[in-house]
Amino acid sequence: MSTLSLVDSPVIAGNGTESPSDTSALVAEIDRLRRERNAVILAHSYQIPEIQDLADFVGDSLGLSRQAATTDAEVIVFCGVHFMAETAAILSPDKTVLLPDLEAGCSLAASITADQLRAWKAEHPGAVVVSYVNTTAEVKAESDYCCTSANAVDIVRSIPEDQEILFLPDLFLGEWVRRATGRDNIHLWLGECHVHAGIMAEDVERAREAHPDAELLVHPECACGSRCLLDLQAGRLDSRRTHVLSTEGMVRHAAASDAGSFLVATETGVLHRLRRLAPGKQFYPVREAAVCNYMKMITLEKVYRSLRDMVYPITVPPEIAERARVAIDRMIAVGR
């Protein structure tokens, strides 16, 4: 994958003309194309504000794919990263799925390949494979269950306690699940999201000192997640004001909580959504530099080009999609 850049080159139409330069005109053109193409636009909560504001649905990767599957849209424009568009293609095989920038990848999904997983499985015959949704379709196809950050603990608890488990690819989410379930027969792949891995316990301490009255919301992919769980269990953190949650869990909690301020330990893109859905409340990033450049690659110009030129289509080979769908359906059958 080529080096990332947040600087967009001009978008040139097929007839040699540039796309609308005025933002309102550009949004109007996107809306026109959205109607003409019978398209639905999805935006992950880490996308830039302009994309979140434009989208039909904003949320986490699996939730967005499931929402899109229920619509009568013929085209899905997924403003996220590559593995998310693959999941949408798996759940909506009769729809065209477009990713506005093919370079929008994921360091976590890239940390394990299907070949590596097959080799790991050979070292642990009979083990149950639980794969985070932040994986490629090929890795999902080699898995027994998928999971999200919201349901990972429930998925693992649904598996017999004496059953060996291979959990991948996120080390920090896996360690949090292992501590939360108390199981010692979970083997962890040593992968990480480079953004969440950079959010350390020291960042949490500094943020708490700066905003002592704020509730703490921590994503379990963070390097600080297991430390927070240990501190909760030991009583060093107040369980009424400390919550380990998925991004969607953070949004729901912040909207329902009586608290007026929150420390947020995840990628900073979610702050825009939190502030929109919980106006009047204050949200502070635990780490200002927790920014995923991959998630910031999609722009209004690229969405316009995607709808105009129907680029870039994401497909999954049927045999891979069928096997990956089994792991996803097993997860859904557990409850959520």
Side-chain angles (χ1 to χ4, degrees), residues 141-222:
E142 292 292 331
S143 305
D144 297 297
Y145 292 86
C146 281
C147 73
T148 67
S149 55
N151 66 24
V153 170
D154 292 337
I155 297 299
V156 168
R157 283 179 175 159
S158 75
I159 298 168
E161 291 187 4
D162 60 350
Q163 177 67 61
E164 188 177 22
I165 294 174
L166 304 182
F167 189 96
L168 62 104
D170 192 86
L171 167 66
F172 298 109
L173 177 61
E175 182 60 29
W176 180 76
V177 169
R178 183 156 63 182
R179 292 185 184 278
T181 60
R183 294 179 64 145
D184 58 6
N185 59 349
I186 301 178
H187 303 282
L188 306 180
W189 187 259
L190 302 183
E192 64 180 33
C193 161
H194 69 285
V195 175
H196 285 105
I199 304 176
M200 312 295 288
E202 294 80 4
D203 296 311
V204 173
E205 290 303 315
R206 282 193 293 269
R208 290 179 65 219
E209 288 175 5
H211 305 282
D213 297 327
E215 284 196 0
L216 174 62
L217 309 180
V218 179
H219 195 287
E221 277 186 51
C222 294

Side-chain angles (χ1 to χ4, degrees), residues 1-299:
M1 187 167 290
S2 63
T3 304
L4 295 179
S5 172
L6 298 185
V7 179
D8 297 317
S9 58
V11 180
I12 306 298
N15 61 6
T17 61
E18 293 187 4
S19 62
S21 57
D22 177 75
T23 298
S24 60
L26 184 57
V27 169
E29 279 297 292
I30 291 171
D31 285 337
R32 179 184 64 80
L33 288 167
R34 172 169 25 196
R35 292 189 297 271
E36 286 185 3
R37 302 290 195 192
N38 188 20
V40 61
I41 299 176
L42 311 179
H44 191 273
S45 295
Y46 298 160
Q47 291 289 297
I48 62 174
E50 294 85 351
I51 296 297
Q52 293 189 42
D53 293 344
L54 177 79
D56 295 291
F57 300 106
V58 184
D60 63 22
S61 61
L62 182 64
L64 289 170
S65 292
R66 294 179 71 183
Q67 283 180 299
T70 67
T71 72
D72 62 1
E74 298 174 69
V75 176
I76 297 171
V77 180
F78 210 125
C79 301
V81 296
H82 194 275
F83 80 81
M84 298 178 185
E86 282 189 332
T87 302
I90 291 168
L91 295 185
S92 297
D94 297 327
K95 301 181 191 295
T96 298
V97 178
L98 304 176
L99 181 66
D101 191 327
L102 284 178
E103 294 297 308
C106 173
S107 61
L108 179 56
S111 70
I112 187 168
T113 65
D115 285 342
Q116 288 174 315
L117 176 52
R118 282 189 284 267
W120 199 28
K121 288 164 65 175
E123 295 173 3
H124 300 274
V128 171
V129 178
V130 179
S131 293
Y132 195 21
V133 292
N134 296 35
T135 48
T136 65
E138 289 83 359
V139 167
K140 289 181 177 71
E142 292 292 331
S143 305
D144 297 297
Y145 292 86
C146 281
C147 73
T148 67
S149 55
N151 66 24
V153 170
D154 292 337
I155 297 299
V156 168
R157 283 179 175 159
S158 75
I159 298 168
E161 291 187 4
D162 60 350
Q163 177 67 61
E164 188 177 22
I165 294 174
L166 304 182
F167 189 96
L168 62 104
D170 192 86
L171 167 66
F172 298 109
L173 177 61
E175 182 60 29
W176 180 76
V177 169
R178 183 156 63 182
R179 292 185 184 278
T181 60
R183 294 179 64 145
D184 58 6
N185 59 349
I186 301 178
H187 303 282
L188 306 180
W189 187 259
L190 302 183
E192 64 180 33
C193 161
H194 69 285
V195 175
H196 285 105
I199 304 176
M200 312 295 288
E202 294 80 4
D203 296 311
V204 173
E205 290 303 315
R206 282 193 293 269
R208 290 179 65 219
E209 288 175 5
H211 305 282
D213 297 327
E215 284 196 0
L216 174 62
L217 309 180
V218 179
H219 195 287
E221 277 186 51
C222 294
C224 63
S226 293
R227 168 70 177 275
C228 288
L229 182 59
L230 287 173
D231 287 347
L232 280 168
Q233 292 170 342
R236 291 187 292 269
L237 284 175
D238 185 348
S239 61
R240 296 167 300 179
R241 299 172 60 225
T242 306
H243 309 277
V244 181
L245 299 165
S246 65
T247 51
E248 286 304 286
M250 290 180 181
V251 171
R252 289 191 298 269
H253 176 83
S257 174
D258 292 331
S261 60
F262 301 84
L263 299 172
V264 182
T266 189
E267 210 274 352
T268 58
V270 76
L271 295 173
H272 176 70
R273 187 160 176 235
L274 287 166
R275 288 164 180 157
R276 282 190 63 192
L277 297 181
K281 298 182 180 183
Q282 300 297 314
F283 297 93
Y284 307 101
V286 164
R287 180 177 169 82
E288 291 275 3
V291 177
C292 176
N293 287 348
Y294 288 114
M295 281 288 188
K296 305 303 188 258
M297 296 184 73
I298 294 175
T299 62

Side-chain angles (χ1 to χ4, degrees), residues 293-330:
N293 287 348
Y294 288 114
M295 281 288 188
K296 305 303 188 258
M297 296 184 73
I298 294 175
T299 62
L300 292 176
E301 289 82 2
K302 291 177 182 178
V303 173
Y304 168 74
R305 178 183 61 191
S306 184
L307 281 166
R308 185 195 66 202
D309 300 339
M310 294 295 287
V311 293
Y312 296 94
I314 303 299
T315 59
V316 178
E319 66 277 10
I320 298 295
E322 182 179 357
R323 292 166 57 206
R325 182 65 184 259
V326 170
I328 294 170
D329 287 344
R330 283 177 179 158

